Amino acid sequence: MKDYDVVVVGAGASGAFLAYELTKLKTNKKVLILDAGRKVENRLCPISTGKVDHCISCKPCNIMYGFGGAGTLSDGKYNITTNFGGDLHEYIGEDKAMELMEYVDDVLMKFDGGGDLELFSTDKNDLKTKCLRYDLHLLDAKVRHFGTDRNKIILQKIFDYVKGTIDFSFSTLVKDVNYEDDHYLISTDKEVYRAKHLVLAAGRSGSKWIADICNKFDVGLKSNRVDIGVRVEVPAEVFKHITDEVYEAKIMYQTKQYNDVVRTFCMNPYGQVVTENTNGILTVNGHSFTDPKLQSENTNFALLVTNRFTEPFKNSNEYGESIAKLSNMLGGGVLMQRFGDLVKGRRSSERRMKKSFTKPTLNATAGDLSLVMPKRQLDDIIEMIYQLDKIAPGMGNDDTLLYGIEVKFYNSVVDVDEKFETSQNRLYCLGDGSGVTHSLSQASASGVEMARILNEL
Ligand SMILES: Cc1cc2nc3c(=O)[nH]c(=O)nc-3n(C[C@H](O)[C@H](O)[C@H](O)COP(=O)(O)OP(=O)(O)OC[C@H]3O[C@@H](n4cnc5c(N)ncnc54)[C@H](O)[C@@H]3O)c2cc1C
């Protein structure tokens, strides 16, 4: 059995930045990072390489698992803000959270070659005022968009930087954890490791596993939120005046009918809509490239309705999964519908899709989202689309494409203190798997902070 000072489960955004910071600090700790996925260079999604045109549920999914985690093949959009993307500031304070996210940005820029990639900001324009005229609320943020292509190269360089200091074991699924003689015994599908400190950084893909470990060690957990919605795709011109200014606009709206909050999320100018596989359930997501040769003519983003549940219901994620499963059942994966068909109460068919002026970037099944999504959320989304049409005319066109279901799962929030330590001694949880963060910037920042804490021990 190999002994370590620290074992980290997950080499995702938080694990990678933890490794970076410990390397930079020239740590004297013996650290091992275990990840169920592969190294960056071996992470290829067969859809993006053109081998297949739909998700074939690879195990492990290269989009979600491997060095850099869900971030590596993502759009690489780093939002420097505490207005969304997690609650890191509630644990470590607003100033420190912002400082760490700025630090992460500096590191990424350094590995990007110190170039002049634009940092978009909501401060520099009057979009906020325009939105307010229609009761739409633009959230303040700075955002750096690296794009899927550039992001992957940066992550590869980070790995090259840390690999001499930190031990890694890839394609290694951590199965169980036990506690004996003041040490953690970490059982994987290969061997058992022993460590004084154990960090759970297993992200969204490992959230169920984290919940099991927390239950085993009596660590508190709560889960009461899930966001459900669709991914919208429109010709890029419709949102160009907004995306050119801020790249990504996080706009919130409270519907008149139900008083529910609907928001735009993950905006991808000239991007692609993609399928995402979370534990075998197919949902929809989006990304875009910085290289103009790889860009599409469309902009996509999610419209999400926030659902918060009260007692006795405890598993909000299962609610989201059940709805996504319905769309998988009817569409064999992701369903797609023209907005015009949805409001007219008819399904989109192959024939109607062929006539659409907006050409889909994802090969999804044309169908009827009203058979899948509860009426309340669907009404909320329709109301939001008409509202957005006032600041982005064309949004409410018949050919606006809606893909479903997009689900934003919120991992159960693990009870941790300001050092990410649980009630179980020297058991830490950070990143998205802890429920504390929900974004690249905040997850990476939590990794940097964890490294500094561990290095001081
Ligand atoms: C398609 C897509 C696009 C996204 N785009 C953006 C974006 O543009 N901007 C943004 O801010 N956020 C984006 N996100 C979210 C972002 O990727 C996450 O917030 C971030 O990666 C969280 O980091 P993490 O370290 O907490 O977890 P992850 O990055 O998910 O890493 C977790 C790691 O743990 C490993 N793991 C899980 N379970 C086990 C186990 N049992 N044993 C061993 N290893 C395990 C996984 O292999 C994975 O590598 C996107 C997500 C997806 C899926």
Side-chain angles (χ1 to χ4, degrees), residues 207-270:
S207 64
K208 281 191 176 156
W209 177 79
I210 289 180
D212 289 346
I213 299 299
C214 288
N215 287 332
K216 180 168 180 173
F217 287 102
D218 254 340
V219 170
L221 277 175
K222 62 174 187 293
S223 158
N224 66 353
R225 176 177 178 183
V226 65
D227 293 353
I228 291 170
V230 293
R231 185 143 291 250
V232 180
E233 189 166 45
V234 289
E237 288 77 12
V238 173
F239 262 76
K240 190 175 182 317
H241 59 298
I242 296 175
T243 53
D244 277 359
E245 288 285 340
V246 292
Y247 190 79
E248 157 153 69
K250 295 264 189 204
I251 301 171
M252 294 178 89
Y253 173 68
Q254 190 164 16
T255 61
K256 304 288 175 251
Q257 195 176 359
Y258 301 101
N259 285 340
D260 287 342
V261 173
V262 190
R263 64 194 173 104
T264 61
F265 173 75
C266 185
M267 210 166 258
N268 297 297
Y270 308 95

Side-chain angles (χ1 to χ4, degrees), residues 9-15 34-37 63-71 74-79 172-174 201-206 209 266 274 276 285-286 430-433 437-441 443:
V9 183
S14 55
L34 302 163
D35 199 287
I63 301 269
M64 301 297 288
Y65 295 82
F67 188 79
S74 82
D75 194 35
K77 233 182 287 112
Y78 286 75
N79 284 291
T172 305
L173 181 71
V174 180
R204 196 194 316 172
S205 53
W209 177 79
C266 185
V274 294
E276 180 178 317
N285 209 316
L430 68 153
D432 287 18
T437 72
H438 319 298
S439 62
L440 283 171
S441 285

Side-chain angles (χ1 to χ4, degrees), residues 142-186:
K142 286 187 281 188
V143 59
R144 187 98 65 185
H145 171 239
F146 289 94
T148 314
D149 35 0
R150 220 154 156 162
N151 195 42
K152 198 174 166 185
I153 296 169
I154 295 173
L155 262 306
Q156 178 64 60
K157 288 185 185 168
I158 294 182
F159 180 68
D160 292 340
Y161 177 73
V162 301
K163 68 183 179 198
T165 307
I166 310 288
D167 285 354
F168 284 90
S169 180
F170 289 103
S171 303
T172 305
L173 181 71
V174 180
K175 297 200 149 176
D176 200 6
V177 176
N178 287 294
Y179 191 68
E180 271 176 36
D181 300 331
D182 220 17
H183 282 79
Y184 289 98
L185 300 180
I186 300 114

Side-chain angles (χ1 to χ4, degrees), residues 36-38 57-66 171:
R38 302 181 172 98
S57 300
C58 303
K59 279 203 172 54
C61 166
N62 278 315
I63 301 269
M64 301 297 288
Y65 295 82
S171 303

